[in-house]
Amino acid sequence: MNSQRKEIISYFKQMDRSFFMDANKDLAPFDQALPIGFEQTISQPSLVLEMTLALDLQPKQKVLELGTGSGFQTALLAAFSGTVYTIERIEELQKRAKERLEQLDFQNIHYRLGDGSEGWEEHAPFDRIMVTAAASEVPRELLEQLNEGGKMVIPVGNSFSQELRLIEKDSDGRTHTTLLNEVLFVPLKGKYER
């Protein structure tokens, strides 16, 4: 196990998930997805860790996150990469997440309110892309905004069946997909809504 991977696991184990929740704080230690309002959830911890490790984060990388949500995943990305660009479509969730992340003194996070399904073109390309909502298909815009040598983790499917995929782009711009797990995420809203 490389040292970065060990550091991520160690950091993750000491994270206080309840800090990122407004209700049901007593359920924070359990490995399950929990509601955070607006028909959104905070993912189960084991899945957050699995997705983060699959990205193979490096200290100077530029990361795009679709779905800021509670800010729990954002904090983990920001702790182990250079810069995080995170997009959330629900204003109240974005506001709360930003307040929490600023309390934790993260200086390397850029926030955007809106439809994340088309990425954040003006800051592309990204070395890593984390998608925390399920798309009906892999958005073409995200593939285009993924740097050569980059990795993207994204759930793809419908309301009943989704695959968590790791998509890697090689130096020739070709993509290679690995199936990581069967998952169930809230839908990605916008252009690629199923």
Side-chain angles (χ1 to χ4, degrees):
M1 188 184 294
N2 67 38
S3 61
Q4 177 82 335
R5 190 176 174 90
K6 281 182 187 169
E7 283 178 35
I8 290 172
I9 293 170
S10 176
Y11 182 89
F12 180 78
K13 284 180 177 174
Q14 58 80 40
M15 287 179 79
D16 178 9
R17 187 179 182 221
S18 70
F19 175 76
F20 297 90
M21 298 165 60
D22 294 313
N24 302 312
K25 286 179 178 278
D26 56 319
L27 299 177
F30 296 100
D31 193 33
Q32 63 189 64
L34 295 167
I36 56 170
F38 307 95
E39 299 180 356
Q40 303 301 299
T41 59
I42 182 170
S43 295
Q44 67 249 48
S46 60
L47 189 54
V48 171
L49 181 60
E50 177 188 355
M51 291 171 71
T52 304
L53 292 174
L55 277 186
D56 186 27
L57 295 170
Q58 302 301 322
K60 293 184 179 176
Q61 288 173 336
K62 187 161 55 164
V63 179
L64 174 66
E65 179 191 38
L66 272 62
T68 315
S70 66
F72 183 56
Q73 176 75 77
T74 319
L76 194 55
L77 295 173
F80 292 95
S81 61
T83 314
V84 175
Y85 294 84
T86 184
I87 306 173
E88 173 58 54
R89 64 181 183 83
I90 299 168
E91 188 171 7
E92 186 59 32
L93 287 183
Q94 187 207 39
K95 181 171 166 269
R96 289 181 205 165
K98 188 176 181 185
E99 285 170 0
R100 290 183 189 116
L101 293 162
E102 286 175 350
Q103 277 183 55
L104 295 173
D105 205 29
F106 283 108
Q107 310 279 318
N108 61 336
I109 303 172
H110 301 272
Y111 304 86
R112 179 171 164 187
L113 185 66
D115 175 11
S117 64
E118 296 182 58
W120 199 336
E121 193 173 5
E122 55 265 45
H123 294 291
F126 298 97
D127 303 302
R128 300 289 187 264
I129 298 177
M130 172 71 81
V131 184
T132 61
S136 57
E137 60 185 277
V138 179
R140 179 182 48 79
E141 293 87 346
L142 298 185
L143 291 174
E144 289 171 356
Q145 291 173 34
L146 187 62
N147 213 350
E148 290 179 0
K151 298 183 182 189
M152 170 166 52
V153 171
I154 180 170
V156 181
N158 57 39
S159 302
F160 312 103
S161 172
Q162 299 163 13
E163 296 177 347
L164 186 63
R165 299 179 188 176
L166 171 65
I167 298 171
E168 301 176 79
K169 185 184 274 192
D170 65 23
S171 57
D172 297 322
R174 289 177 302 209
T175 58
H176 308 271
T177 301
T178 306
L179 174 61
L180 299 177
N181 211 334
E182 297 291 325
V183 292
L184 198 57
F185 277 84
V186 296
L188 180 69
K189 301 287 187 182
K191 184 174 177 181
Y192 292 89
E193 194 170 344
R194 48 172 193 265

